[in-house]
Amino acid sequence: MLHKPWRRVAVATAGLLALTLISACSEDPGESKDLSENRVGAMEKYGVGDQFKATEALSFSTLYNNHTFYPLKEDWLFWSELTKRTNVKIEPVAVPLSDYEQKRSLLIGAGDAPLIIPKTYHPQENAFVSSGAILPVSDYLDLMPNLKDKIAKWNLKPEIDNLRQSDGKFYLLPGLHEKPTQDYTVLVRTDIMQELNLATPKTWDDLYAVLKAMKAKYPNVYPYSDLFSKPNPTGALLNILGSAHGTQAGWDYQHATWDAAAKKFHYTGASDQYRQMVTFLHKLVAEGLLDPESFTQTDDQARQKLANGKSFVVTGNAQTLVNNHRPDLAKTLPNAKMAKIPLPVGPAGEINPFPRLENGIMISTKARESKNFVAMMQFIDWLWYSDTGLEFARWGIEGTTFTKDASGKRTLNPGVDFLGLNPKAPKHLQKDFGFQNGVFAYGGSPDLVRGFFSPEELEFQKVMDARTPRVVPPPAPLTDEEREQVSLWETPLKDFVTQNTLKFALGQRPLTEWDAYVAELKAKNSEQYIDLVNKAYERFQKNNG
């Protein structure tokens, strides 16, 4: 969540390509192979709440997404303490954040991938299933008691089932959230709003009115100039704007969206909801309220415009607000103030769009042949899914980086900063200690996830908690043959939707050509795509109703 500001988590809707509700007996690890030769280093008795510690020193190679904000350091306390607690050493295979997905694909394709492959967003794992390069992790859930416990306690079975493939198994161990914690929203210069006597906008129409007032006062400014133009133009803005309109766009884009009223899927980029979103986006650009360079400029260019008073509004989250925009403004416009506003409400109503599954872990198939396989799965279960492991990855070491009172409330030590909680502290939780690292820290209960939140951020979450969670779509499992077919359609379709979204927004293509655009989508097999998905949905209902 907070640690990955340039990418939204993939939503559960992507699971329409997955099979669901296969009986639990298919997830018995004994179904695959006898594990008696793969237990070296494993604990004989390991259950919920147990501290995992390998019975001999082990090491596991792990693909490591090297974040520019907290570059990898070999002397982080995270590494040494992890080994102290678990008797396991992680061997990171570091890849720059900007090249992570491409490098991951190359390593897996060449058979050189590390054993543990984190930071994978569903449905990215689909590309590696048919080759047999990654493990069907659902076969080994009995080795992961903490994961199973949280799925049961937090009623996550519908979300988990949406990860399943055509063989009934799933190949990704996702980060689990007890409750959705929406982070991305609109960040606004509140001092400008106060100057113009403007109330905090509740809806996108209210925000439009705010932008109009800003433009009237400052005609030479584009009030909204956005970041995140890569890999999708304004991916974050389209993400939150799309969800407000009941569709999926930007980072969130998936080809099929569930229509609960009609009880069928429709093609996202051709839907009325998508058209309404594009129409609103076009209006912002046409009236000079959204900077047209938002679709192409670098993040640094967008930050500079905001810092120099050339814009007042940007899409972001708590981390970009605290780590980037407020420090930028403090240097150039020291009287400026900026804040997150609750996610503006659109035609879809007051929803909380954040999914409860986050990015997750793939396991290389070659790990299954290791004599230490069972120990590795126990280790993963402890670090990513146990209460103790989750606390360790996020907060660090009690007494060193945080304290805990009698009620269990955690407080960051005053000598350690994170998200601006202790801005004058000499140490930073991520940069100097390696905790709150996006490779290892995601998911958890609200008290764990939100423990770092400022009163300002907790107020934001209070508003979002009162909203209706996003509906988990039903499964629509494709057969292998169907998946092979749609894989030929997906990239051309998505590229075409992205290109025309940009053209409509910028006025390079008139909105009067929407019907022609939909016809062009049909010529690229959008209807055939959706027909397959809906047939898969109906087939599942018939077989499992």
Side-chain angles (χ1 to χ4, degrees):
M1 194 191 76
L2 297 177
H3 45 265
K4 188 152 174 102
W6 25 76
R7 172 141 194 163
R8 249 283 299 124
V9 231
V11 296
T13 305
L16 62 92
L17 299 181
L19 185 65
T20 179
L21 299 179
I22 304 301
S23 64
C25 62
S26 68
E27 294 172 4
D28 181 353
E31 178 186 274
S32 295
K33 288 180 182 178
D34 176 34
L35 290 168
S36 59
E37 301 298 320
N38 307 94
R39 295 184 175 274
V40 176
M43 294 175 61
E44 279 298 317
K45 294 183 178 180
Y46 171 69
V48 176
D50 290 341
Q51 170 64 52
F52 168 77
K53 190 161 189 177
T55 58
E56 63 179 61
L58 302 176
S59 63
F60 300 123
S61 59
T62 303
L63 195 61
Y64 183 86
N65 187 11
N66 203 2
H67 204 296
T68 52
F69 184 69
Y70 46 95
L72 173 66
K73 294 181 181 179
E74 294 182 1
D75 63 350
W76 274 340
L77 185 58
F78 173 85
W79 304 122
S80 57
E81 183 68 18
L82 180 65
T83 300
K84 178 181 176 182
R85 295 189 185 196
T86 66
N87 209 16
V88 170
K89 180 181 180 181
I90 284 181
E91 297 176 348
V93 178
V95 176
L97 182 147
S98 58
D99 297 328
Y100 188 76
E101 293 180 16
Q102 180 181 15
K103 185 67 172 178
R104 180 184 61 201
S105 296
L106 291 173
L107 287 170
I108 293 175
D112 297 327
L115 300 181
I116 302 173
I117 311 170
K119 298 304 286 185
T120 300
Y121 289 81
H122 179 69
Q124 292 173 345
E125 77 278 14
N126 291 355
F128 311 112
V129 170
S130 61
S131 68
I134 59 173
L135 204 66
V137 289
S138 56
D139 282 348
Y140 304 98
L141 293 191
D142 283 350
L143 303 178
M144 308 185 77
N146 289 291
L147 171 59
K148 290 181 67 175
D149 180 61
K150 284 181 169 53
I151 291 172
K153 285 196 307 186
W154 296 348
N155 299 313
L156 284 164
K157 192 175 188 300
E159 285 91 340
I160 293 293
D161 284 336
N162 265 293
L163 299 176
R164 296 184 188 275
Q165 304 289 327
S166 58
D167 58 4
K169 305 173 189 290
F170 58 88
Y171 292 71
L172 184 74
L173 295 169
L176 310 178
H177 285 268
E178 182 178 1
K179 290 185 177 181
T181 300
Q182 175 67 27
D183 190 17
Y184 277 89
T185 186
V186 179
L187 313 182
V188 181
R189 280 275 302 274
T190 53
D191 59 305
I192 300 294
M193 291 181 61
Q194 291 170 358
E195 174 192 342
L196 302 178
N197 197 28
L198 300 171
T200 300
K202 181 179 179 181
T203 67
W204 283 99
D205 287 339
D206 292 343
L207 180 62
Y208 166 77
V210 166
L211 297 173
K212 288 280 285 187
M214 290 176 169
K215 184 71 173 180
K217 176 68 174 180
Y218 298 96
N220 295 325
V221 165
Y222 286 111
Y224 204 143
S225 187
D226 212 23
L227 306 92
F228 313 122
S229 64
K230 307 296 181 182
N232 303 109
T234 61
L237 171 57
L238 285 172
N239 170 245
I240 60 174
L241 186 60
S243 65
H245 283 79
T247 189
Q248 303 167 108
W251 292 335
D252 205 19
Y253 187 79
Q254 301 295 333
H255 293 282
T257 299
W258 174 244
D259 185 334
K263 292 188 177 181
K264 64 180 182 180
F265 290 91
H266 58 235
Y267 191 77
T268 304
S271 66
D272 287 341
Q273 294 91 332
Y274 201 89
R275 177 184 55 79
Q276 291 169 8
M277 180 206 70
V278 170
T279 301
F280 183 83
L281 193 66
H282 170 81
K283 180 169 71 169
L284 295 184
V285 175
E287 298 185 20
L289 308 181
L290 176 65
D291 185 356
E293 293 183 356
S294 297
F295 299 90
T296 54
Q297 68 189 353
T298 66
D299 288 358
D300 285 344
Q301 287 172 322
R303 284 178 62 178
Q304 285 302 311
K305 288 179 180 179
L306 188 66
N308 294 327
K310 301 298 184 183
S311 68
F312 306 134
V313 181
V314 71
T315 311
N317 64 6
Q319 182 161 295
T320 59
L321 174 64
V322 172
N323 291 340
N324 298 344
H325 303 312
R326 281 179 174 166
D328 290 348
L329 287 167
K331 294 175 184 176
T332 55
L333 299 168
N335 294 322
K337 296 181 180 180
M338 195 166 202
K340 290 175 67 173
I341 64 170
L343 191 63
V345 176
E350 296 194 11
I351 62 170
N352 187 334
F354 194 82
R356 292 200 296 157
L357 298 190
E358 203 170 343
N359 70 89
I361 305 160
M362 296 186 294
I363 305 297
S364 173
T365 301
K366 61 188 178 185
R368 177 61 183 79
E369 304 306 317
S370 167
K371 63 181 181 179
N372 307 128
F373 174 69
V374 173
M376 188 188 80
M377 298 303 285
Q378 291 177 344
F379 168 73
I380 291 171
D381 180 69
W382 179 83
L383 179 57
W384 275 278
Y385 299 105
S386 76
D387 291 344
T388 307
L390 286 165
E391 179 184 77
F392 168 73
R394 283 193 182 274
W395 286 86
I397 303 171
E398 186 173 1
T400 301
T401 56
F402 76 99
T403 57
K404 190 187 296 188
D405 65 18
S407 69
K409 178 179 172 57
R410 305 172 189 87
T411 302
L412 198 62
N413 280 355
V416 181
D417 184 34
F418 179 65
L419 288 178
L421 290 177
N422 299 312
K424 296 182 180 180
K427 298 289 186 180
H428 190 276
L429 190 63
Q430 293 171 310
K431 295 179 180 180
D432 298 302
F433 294 101
F435 299 111
Q436 194 64 33
N437 186 316
V439 177
F440 307 110
Y442 40 84
S445 59
D447 73 293
L448 186 71
V449 174
R450 304 178 185 182
F452 296 102
F453 289 1
S454 65
E456 172 189 24
E457 179 64 18
L458 290 173
E459 280 299 310
F460 174 88
Q461 295 300 332
K462 184 178 179 181
V463 173
M464 297 306 300
D465 284 344
R467 299 184 182 181
T468 303
R470 192 178 207 165
V471 174
V472 179
L478 300 182
T479 65
D480 290 343
E481 292 77 12
E482 289 168 339
R483 182 184 296 284
E484 184 177 353
Q485 178 61 70
V486 301
S487 68
L488 301 176
W489 298 336
E490 287 177 327
T491 298
L493 280 169
K494 186 173 182 179
D495 288 347
F496 189 74
V497 171
T498 300
Q499 292 163 6
N500 281 274
T501 300
L502 182 58
K503 289 179 180 179
F504 283 129
L506 293 174
Q508 296 171 352
R509 185 171 191 180
L511 290 166
T512 53
E513 292 188 9
W514 180 264
D515 289 344
Y517 153 74
V518 171
E520 291 159 8
L521 277 174
K522 292 178 181 178
K524 294 182 180 294
N525 301 299
S526 63
E527 282 196 332
Q528 290 95 320
Y529 186 105
I530 283 301
D531 285 345
L532 280 182
V533 171
N534 280 315
K535 287 177 182 177
Y537 161 70
E538 292 165 4
R539 181 172 60 225
F540 171 79
Q541 292 297 312
K542 180 180 179 180
N543 294 337
N544 297 274

